[in-house]
Amino acid sequence: MSPFSLQPSLLARALLSALLVTPAAFAAGVDSASMQAHDPDHEPVDLSAVQVRASILPGTVEDLARPVEVLAGERLDAAKASSLGETVNKLPGVQSSYFGTGVGRPIVRGFDGARVQVLSDGLGSGDVSTVSADHAVSIEPFLANQIEVLKGPSTLLYGSGAIGGAVNVIDGRIPEAATDEPLQGRAELRAGTVNDEKTGMLRLDGTSASGHLVFHFDALHRETGDYAIPGFAESARQLAAEGETPDPATSGTLANSALRTDSGALGMSWVGERGFAGVGYSLFNTHYGVPGHSHDDGDGHGHDADDGHDHGDDTHGDDAVHILMDQRRTEVRAGLDELGVFETLRIKFADTRYTHTEFEGEAIGTVFDNSSKEARLELVHQPWAGWRGAFGVQWAHRKFDAVGAEAFVPGTEGNDTGLFWIGERRSGDFKFELGARHDRNTIDAVPQPLAPLRANSRKFEALSGSAAVQWELSDRFHASLGLDRSQRVPTAEELFSSGLHVATGTMEVGDETLGVETANRLELGLRWHGERIDLGAAVYGIRYADFIYQASPTSLDDPGNPLLDGGVPVRLWNQADARFHGMEADATIALVDNDRGAWDLRVFGDIVRGKLASGGRERDVDVEVFHGGHVHRHAARISEQGNLPRLAPARLGSELSWSNGTWRASLGAVRYLKQDRVATNETTTPGYTLVDAHLAWHRDTPSGNAWEVFLDGSNLLDQEARPHTSFLKDLAPLPGRGIAFGVRAFF
């Protein structure tokens, strides 16, 4: 049983009741002749032909010159996990951060955090998942209809926070069109062995008799206990460094890794012949443990001299660190078509209230509050001089506050206004895409006591431009070339942080003088569609000027050794030139298709390299850390050379799938290679292989409903897997062998 769920929540009880009665009630109460297999969520989907909602100009994956990956239908059902990062983790060029099963943020081509924007149908998620590695994304993947990953800079559409890419989750919570049937939906119940998971989900969509009033409702409840692991939580390297012999009783389970999540939404729209207007309200509440972290009674931090973590066996004790996150969001959306010189007008607005409370046992340690408002206006215009394009305006306001002994970031208030245009034009076998965006950004910070900020207000301007061409060499072979210049403004955390960051076990120090970083990218992409094989590949290079990263300084008093503050490593936000390059490929081969079924083989791989490129420059700096009510001053040296930290390792993966009428199955494996291209003071990570399998049986009923029973296996070899992208790689491995099973209903 999850320690976070001793009493069933009201949402959980309501959801369970609805799941038990809904399919039968609808089957009896709706004319069976009108109930066809109208819901595509359980059907095979040609992902290359799916409309990409993240692009303002309508187009499919095949139409766009920029690299995009889409999950929908059966592929999305098989990939859904408790975090967004884990859900998209098997797409080429995409991996996940990891801070226990409650936290996983997408990493796109080696970029994460403030460089990858997470969106809910085109608007920011409104959480603070970029502030710290232990903060969860406030989007529930199980409720998604479609997930889109824009690989490469997406600053033109979504601002500087998307300089590395964007992940757009489509959930349809505010309807934009009438449903196919008066009432339709889907539901799912599942359980899992690796963590005693219990998840229930329900979604309903319907249209009034007039055809103008459309509603949406969804709800989800998930509970898990601590998950099983192969061996001990701490790696052999960590145990050797500490000189400890672990208690055999602690083997096999990762303490303090339980999770409970509740999510729900209600939306309603008026839909007419030329447009729609709607409003929606949603909530997301999650409670999860932070494995590998506990606080002692001495100084309130419990960090040792080696890595800033206290690794007691009793992390379920009174000092265990756990997080309660709550978000409430109100959205308004409207659209109008056929406006003369303009094809469409779309308006979006979201008001998000977010609270994130970190507990040390029963006591409140730190509270993060984030209040944000965001609005977008998009106008698609008729072709001008052969160019079909769209204008857009985006405005965002954010007020952030952190209160508590471990509030390493001061309260800030920020505004961002962006104006952009994108366009496309076809000429014979070529399609050209152009775009430009200008942003103005202000960040105001509240000085901390005893630690006055040298510059508590900063203003930035960012200018980005992009050009791409797609060449249809034949009906089957397409090539694309993209060139981007993108800029990103520093975040409040990079500018103003100063103090103990418990999640990473470091003293984090910002730099108020940081400037805009600039990325220049060149990418070549190829796509081949044969009778029995689909192949995609891309190679890219990125040159960064003034790349913002965390440096590991060395002490001038003790040359060559990492700078420590009270035994905790110090990390400085710094800027230097950097270079990234990588490649990825994905192929699907139709092996056999006969009366015994269709067999397909999918293979994929990706690799990325990133390193500083400042010519081996070193410089001396004065470091000030505000900690424990005092300012600590150090003299240190920064070396601006070498690999960048926590870079995603290279991967090779394959999956053999089979389908035959009502049955489908698959067996896959992904090999994560050893990561030995590490940054200063960073350790290497051994490689590992994750094997998974899926089996599902699907049945359509005479009434037009459908049922599906599924069985999923993960990490079937029970391998000890420690992602290099994780701050907890030596404290918290991935879950061990697990079996998930359940039933889905479509009605």
Side-chain angles (χ1 to χ4, degrees):
M1 176 180 292
S2 166
F4 304 148
S5 54
L6 297 178
Q7 295 295 328
S9 69
L10 178 62
L11 176 61
R13 292 195 296 267
L15 177 60
L16 180 59
S17 300
L19 283 168
L20 293 176
V21 306
T22 295
F26 288 148
V30 179
D31 180 8
S32 63
S34 66
M35 292 293 290
Q36 305 299 322
H38 52 265
D39 192 332
D41 295 324
H42 65 283
E43 299 173 355
V45 175
D46 180 3
L47 297 180
S48 64
V50 171
Q51 195 86 1
V52 178
R53 290 282 298 265
S55 176
I56 299 174
L57 299 177
T60 66
V61 173
E62 287 296 300
D63 293 334
L64 299 176
R66 307 179 185 285
V68 181
E69 296 281 352
V70 174
L71 282 175
E74 292 177 357
R75 281 281 302 276
L76 179 56
D77 281 339
K80 284 177 181 177
S82 59
S83 72
L84 182 60
E86 188 180 352
T87 299
V88 298
N89 190 44
K90 282 190 177 181
L91 296 175
V94 185
Q95 297 193 33
S96 177
S97 67
Y98 185 71
F99 223 90
T101 53
V103 182
R105 207 173 192 277
I107 299 173
V108 180
R109 293 180 169 178
F111 297 109
D112 62 352
R115 292 186 179 88
V116 175
Q117 184 87 313
V118 175
L119 306 161
S120 176
D121 202 356
L123 291 176
S125 59
D127 55 42
V128 295
S129 60
T130 62
V131 173
S132 177
D134 63 334
H135 293 187
V137 174
S138 59
I139 293 179
E140 175 51 58
F142 268 74
L143 297 172
N145 293 334
Q146 180 173 312
I147 299 178
E148 306 162 350
V149 180
L150 306 182
K151 298 185 289 186
S154 302
T155 53
L156 297 183
L157 295 174
Y158 299 112
S160 70
I163 195 172
V167 179
N168 190 34
V169 180
I170 311 298
D171 51 32
R173 284 178 159 175
I174 298 182
E176 298 185 10
T179 57
D180 295 336
E181 300 294 336
L183 192 60
Q184 60 189 56
R186 66 178 188 263
E188 180 173 329
L189 286 171
R190 73 160 54 205
T193 62
V194 73
N195 55 3
D196 195 25
E197 176 191 4
K198 299 176 182 64
T199 298
M201 182 274 288
L202 173 67
R203 175 191 174 109
L204 296 174
D205 296 276
T207 303
S208 67
S210 68
H212 292 302
L213 193 61
V214 187
F215 81 91
H216 167 89
F217 168 80
D218 66 54
L220 174 137
H221 177 76
R222 175 188 297 112
E223 292 184 14
T224 78
D226 293 339
Y227 66 78
I229 57 175
F232 295 99
E234 295 185 41
S235 66
R237 174 175 54 205
Q238 184 73 28
L239 293 171
E242 295 173 347
E244 294 184 0
T245 301
D247 183 353
T250 65
S251 176
T253 303
L254 182 64
N256 199 32
S257 60
L259 166 71
R260 188 200 70 210
T261 300
D262 290 295
S263 181
L266 179 64
M268 189 165 294
S269 297
W270 183 92
V271 177
E273 294 181 359
R274 294 180 51 204
F276 75 97
V279 62
Y281 181 81
S282 62
L283 66 88
F284 183 87
N285 182 284
T286 186
H287 190 185
Y288 56 93
V290 182
H293 289 62
S294 63
H295 295 195
D296 61 23
D297 297 327
D299 63 4
H301 302 298
H303 296 277
D304 61 31
D306 292 329
D307 62 1
H309 298 87
D310 179 15
H311 315 298
D313 292 336
D314 188 22
T315 51
H316 265 314
D318 293 338
D319 57 356
V321 178
H322 52 106
I323 291 174
L324 177 62
M325 189 186 85
D326 185 85
Q327 178 176 285
R328 308 298 166 103
R329 182 179 176 100
T330 303
E331 289 191 55
V332 177
R333 295 174 184 255
L336 191 60
D337 302 332
E338 301 176 11
L339 301 172
V341 296
F342 294 102
E343 293 183 11
T344 61
L345 165 68
R346 292 292 184 268
I347 299 174
K348 306 175 183 179
F349 172 79
D351 184 347
T352 306
R353 310 288 173 171
Y354 173 101
T355 300
H356 170 116
T357 305
E358 298 186 356
F359 291 87
E360 303 167 16
E362 297 299 322
I364 295 177
T366 306
V367 178
F368 296 87
D369 284 315
N370 192 64
S371 172
S372 65
K373 295 179 175 65
E374 182 178 356
R376 286 177 67 92
L377 184 149
E378 303 167 353
L379 273 169
V380 177
H381 62 73
Q382 300 286 356
W384 296 348
W387 287 89
R388 181 169 178 262
F391 294 99
V393 179
Q394 181 178 2
W395 169 83
H397 172 81
R398 176 197 185 199
K399 187 174 182 180
F400 170 82
D401 195 22
V403 179
E406 295 169 358
F408 68 99
V409 183
T412 59
E413 189 165 354
N415 290 281
D416 179 49
T417 303
L419 177 66
F420 60 90
W421 176 83
I422 59 172
E424 63 182 28
R425 177 177 181 174
R426 291 189 178 273
S427 178
D429 295 332
F430 294 91
K431 178 187 176 185
F432 301 93
E433 297 181 5
L434 291 176
R437 179 176 176 126
H438 181 265
D439 281 275
R440 288 186 176 179
N441 180 279
T442 62
I443 303 177
D444 299 315
V446 179
Q448 299 182 65
L450 304 180
L453 300 170
R454 292 183 291 276
N456 60 3
S457 180
R458 294 293 310 276
K459 296 182 179 181
F460 302 94
E461 293 198 16
L463 181 63
S464 300
S466 177
V469 58
Q470 185 181 64
W471 182 17
E472 297 183 9
L473 290 87
S474 70
D475 292 340
R476 296 183 176 181
F477 188 33
H478 299 178
S480 61
L481 181 68
L483 178 64
D484 301 272
R485 178 190 184 272
S486 304
Q487 291 191 313
R488 183 179 77 89
V489 303
T491 65
E493 302 80 57
E494 295 164 341
L495 291 167
F496 304 122
S497 59
S498 179
L500 178 66
H501 189 172
V502 174
T504 60
T506 61
M507 291 293 180
E508 189 168 317
V509 182
D511 184 347
E512 297 141 9
T513 67
L514 293 177
V516 173
E517 70 177 23
T518 303
N520 295 292
R521 179 191 70 123
L522 180 65
E523 176 168 347
L524 173 65
L526 301 173
R527 176 66 66 178
W528 167 266
H529 293 286
E531 293 182 358
R532 298 181 59 183
I533 182 171
D534 286 342
L535 173 65
V539 58
Y540 57 90
I542 309 172
R543 298 171 67 90
Y544 265 94
D546 299 322
F547 182 80
I548 301 173
Y549 70 104
Q550 278 192 322
S552 177
T554 56
S555 173
L556 289 182
D557 298 330
D558 190 8
N561 287 326
L563 179 66
L564 304 177
D565 187 296
V568 179
V570 176
R571 297 291 183 265
L572 304 183
W573 285 105
N574 189 48
Q575 283 189 300
D577 294 344
R579 302 289 182 267
F580 288 81
H581 63 273
M583 62 182 301
E584 60 202 33
D586 186 11
T588 301
I589 306 168
L591 300 176
V592 177
D593 189 355
N594 54 34
D595 56 0
R596 295 187 177 182
W599 293 84
D600 293 330
L601 175 65
R602 175 179 177 248
V603 294
F604 74 93
D606 51 47
I607 185 172
V608 61
R609 297 282 185 252
K611 62 191 309 180
L612 297 172
S614 297
R617 183 177 64 187
E618 293 186 345
R619 61 187 182 93
D620 296 338
V621 295
D622 294 323
V623 181
E624 293 185 355
V625 183
F626 179 54
H627 177 217
H630 303 282
V631 176
H632 303 245
R633 293 179 172 86
H634 306 273
R637 175 167 294 165
I638 296 176
S639 177
E640 297 177 339
Q641 61 181 331
N643 299 301
L644 288 163
R646 292 179 307 284
L647 204 61
R651 297 183 303 175
L652 293 171
S654 64
E655 182 181 58
L656 180 64
S657 60
W658 166 81
S659 62
N660 186 12
T662 58
W663 289 92
R664 67 178 187 272
S666 67
L667 176 66
V670 181
R671 175 64 183 176
Y672 292 77
L673 303 184
K674 175 183 179 181
Q675 181 58 285
D676 54 7
R677 296 174 181 259
V678 295
T680 303
N681 299 323
E682 184 184 26
T683 57
T684 61
T685 306
Y688 53 89
T689 301
L690 298 180
V691 176
D692 64 88
H694 305 271
L695 177 66
W697 175 78
H698 180 88
R699 179 176 181 269
D700 294 317
T701 68
S703 64
N705 300 328
W707 294 88
E708 186 168 284
V709 180
F710 62 91
L711 182 67
D712 299 329
S714 59
N715 194 6
L716 294 178
L717 300 183
D718 204 29
Q719 284 235 322
E720 182 177 318
R722 299 181 181 273
H724 187 76
T725 56
S726 171
F727 282 98
L728 300 181
K729 67 178 185 179
D730 286 316
L731 305 177
L734 294 181
R737 182 186 298 114
I739 303 296
F741 51 91
V743 59
R744 302 183 182 105
F746 307 87
F747 45 88

